[in-house]
Amino acid sequence: MERWVRLAEDLPPVCRLGLATRGDRCQLTADDCFHAMENGINYWNWCGVEDGMSDAIRQLGKERSQLVIAFQLQARTEDDAWRELEQVLQNLRTDRVEVVTFYYVERESEWQQIAGKSGALNAMRKAKEQKLVRLIGLTSHQRKLAAKIAETGELDLLMIRYNAAHTGAERDVFPVTQRLSLPVIAYTCTRWGQLMKPTPFDPPNFSPPPAREWYRFVLANPAVRVALMSPFDRKELDENLLLLKDWREPTDEEWEILRQHGERVRKYRRWFP
């Protein structure tokens, strides 16, 4: 199981276990983010609101060159996209962000607007020419739509939900991205923590594996370049970082345990598609 990958030739290699924040649902401080970086975690996905990660990015100094920073662009039009990007760069006090993904594109009409004559894609293409961004991607829950957009050749990567309870990307997305050699960034790897919880269908004396094993499950798939963890605090971060000390694929037995519990979680909590 690879530990480091390159998302582009002119970007530093990144650890395949990435770090993401999630606004008020995250208590990571700037020191926690630096702690993750000291352990090799250098793909950072910023949620777009003031938090420990944005504070850390502003303090990076010379260490900035070691990181790949990603954020999700909510704008759909060209003018709004420029304003949003400029605001992000100003807020983070950086001259670039390496990855920009169009945030939660859930309908084809949204993509048509983004890719249209006055759409946000035009702004990001120009930003890429000016080296303000390096990679343009898309974030979506809609697997078939994401795969269809990937086929257009307009994207440098996809950000897709993938975990043991949501394995549809194996069928709908990964065959396309692997054929195109398009990097995939996986999010919701623990299904918002539900994979670490029991279900009424569990066998006797079953204890769900900890978060790091669910990241292991995701990272074992060669179609995934980076799996994003989003720990609540330093304690959860350190628990996740234990994966780095035991970096390997799941054994056949472990994989089966993870897969079966993922199926039980999906069965028990059907409201989450």
Side-chain angles (χ1 to χ4, degrees):
M1 188 168 74
E2 284 186 285
R3 181 161 172 172
W4 299 89
V5 295
R6 277 191 183 275
L7 299 177
E9 287 300 318
D10 56 349
L11 292 181
V14 294
C15 180
R16 293 181 63 218
L17 182 64
L19 180 66
T21 55
R22 44 197 169 103
D24 59 2
R25 292 175 292 177
C26 178
Q27 292 187 358
L28 290 182
T29 65
D31 285 343
D32 296 332
C33 293
F34 285 125
H35 175 64
M37 185 171 68
E38 290 166 1
N39 281 272
I41 308 301
N42 65 332
Y43 186 100
W44 289 9
N45 188 89
W46 179 51
C47 67
V49 301
E50 190 66 25
D51 61 7
M53 182 174 285
S54 59
D55 191 21
I57 292 171
R58 289 191 289 266
Q59 299 178 44
L60 282 169
K62 294 180 179 179
E63 295 177 316
R64 173 67 180 89
S65 62
Q66 302 175 26
L67 286 189
V68 169
I69 295 173
F71 89 101
Q72 279 68 66
L73 187 80
Q74 298 192 42
R76 298 300 190 242
T77 67
E78 185 170 3
D79 289 344
D80 286 347
W82 271 119
R83 282 191 288 269
E84 188 174 345
L85 176 61
E86 289 170 355
Q87 184 177 8
V88 166
L89 296 176
Q90 182 178 12
N91 188 4
L92 298 180
R93 297 176 195 166
T94 184
D95 61 354
R96 69 196 184 280
V97 286
E98 284 74 16
V99 179
V100 173
T101 67
F102 300 112
Y103 189 55
Y104 284 158
V105 178
E106 305 296 299
R107 296 183 300 275
E108 187 162 359
S109 59
E110 290 181 82
W111 173 248
Q112 293 301 326
Q113 182 183 19
I114 289 168
K117 184 176 180 180
S118 300
L121 181 59
N122 286 329
M124 292 305 99
R125 285 175 181 150
K126 295 173 184 176
K128 191 173 177 180
E129 292 173 358
Q130 297 175 28
K131 300 188 184 304
L132 301 176
V133 304
R134 176 60 186 86
L135 301 176
I136 300 171
L138 176 142
T139 303
S140 180
H141 290 98
Q142 308 306 315
R143 300 184 301 268
K144 293 182 179 180
L145 174 61
K148 180 179 179 180
I149 295 171
E151 293 275 18
T152 67
E154 298 286 2
L155 302 177
D156 299 311
L157 58 78
L158 279 181
M159 189 167 162
I160 294 292
R161 177 178 61 187
Y162 176 60
N163 58 59
H166 295 288
T167 58
E170 296 173 0
R171 177 189 65 247
D172 298 330
V173 179
F174 296 162
V176 174
T177 57
Q178 288 186 292
R179 172 168 50 81
L180 298 174
S181 298
L182 194 71
V184 171
I185 312 299
Y187 65 92
T188 322
C189 300
T190 68
R191 201 178 189 258
W192 301 112
Q194 292 177 354
L195 287 166
M196 287 95 78
K197 298 177 181 179
T199 78
F201 313 115
D202 295 345
N205 302 315
F206 176 79
S207 295
R212 63 180 178 274
E213 299 305 318
W214 301 106
Y215 296 120
R216 191 191 308 279
F217 175 92
V218 172
L219 289 164
N221 193 307
V224 174
R225 298 289 180 88
V226 176
L228 292 176
M229 60 171 164
S230 185
F232 177 71
D233 54 19
R234 179 67 165 265
K235 179 181 177 182
E236 287 191 3
L237 172 62
D238 281 336
E239 290 172 351
N240 294 345
L241 292 177
L242 291 175
L243 177 61
L244 303 178
K245 298 180 179 179
D246 184 28
W247 189 271
R248 58 174 177 79
E249 294 183 9
T251 66
D252 290 345
E253 181 180 0
E254 290 168 339
W255 187 91
E256 194 61 31
I257 289 171
L258 295 168
R259 177 71 87 174
Q260 289 180 5
H261 189 60
E263 291 174 355
R264 292 194 296 268
V265 168
R266 181 172 176 80
K267 179 181 177 181
Y268 179 50
R269 298 178 171 90
R270 290 180 177 273
W271 66 84
F272 204 137

